[in-house]
Amino acid sequence: LATRTREIGRVGGYEAGEVEYVQVRARIDDRTTKICKKMHKKIIPVARLSAQRDQYLDAVSKREIAGAKKAWQMWQESDDVSHIKGDELPKGTALPPFHFKCRTITVAYLSN
């Protein structure tokens, strides 16, 4: 929950700072999961993060557990993520955490 709260706060900061894109940054080491390796360095529009955050918070406010889980997918370390191609992201997979004990974050992406 703390890492979700952190990322929800970051989205608000991105919006306030008029940041248009973020980059996913995973800590790459021997504990890095397949999903975090797959997401590492992906560029994602802040609008996509905002939509995911809003869908999640709406479901939580209505106490719709299934809706909250759908809005913010949690992957398993063993999940096959080979179907995620290029910039195509499954619904609910824009904001970290992507799994329990996830160490991945987003950072503002400022292109030249």
Side-chain angles (χ1 to χ4, degrees), residues 72-89:
W72 205 314
Q73 182 173 351
M74 294 298 278
W75 295 80
Q76 301 297 316
E77 289 185 37
S78 59
D79 285 341
D80 178 10
V81 294
S82 61
H83 67 281
I84 301 175
K85 306 288 184 210
D87 291 332
E88 298 173 14
L89 296 177

Side-chain angles (χ1 to χ4, degrees), residues 11-88:
V11 173
Y14 298 143
E15 291 169 332
E18 299 181 358
V19 173
E20 293 183 41
Y21 296 92
V22 299
Q23 186 175 49
V24 176
R25 296 273 179 90
R27 180 174 292 172
I28 304 296
D29 59 22
D30 61 335
R31 296 183 346 188
T32 307
T33 60
K34 291 176 186 175
I35 185 65
C36 288
K37 286 178 185 174
K38 189 75 167 183
M39 295 299 292
H40 184 60
K41 294 190 178 182
K42 282 201 181 290
I43 308 299
I44 302 174
V46 171
R48 174 96 189 248
L49 305 181
S50 300
Q52 182 179 345
R53 174 205 58 197
D54 294 347
Q55 184 181 8
Y56 173 77
L57 291 176
D58 182 57
V60 168
S61 72
K62 295 175 182 174
R63 299 177 188 240
E64 295 175 352
I65 295 171
K69 287 180 178 180
K70 183 178 178 184
W72 205 314
Q73 182 173 351
M74 294 298 278
W75 295 80
Q76 301 297 316
E77 289 185 37
S78 59
D79 285 341
D80 178 10
V81 294
S82 61
H83 67 281
I84 301 175
K85 306 288 184 210
D87 291 332
E88 298 173 14

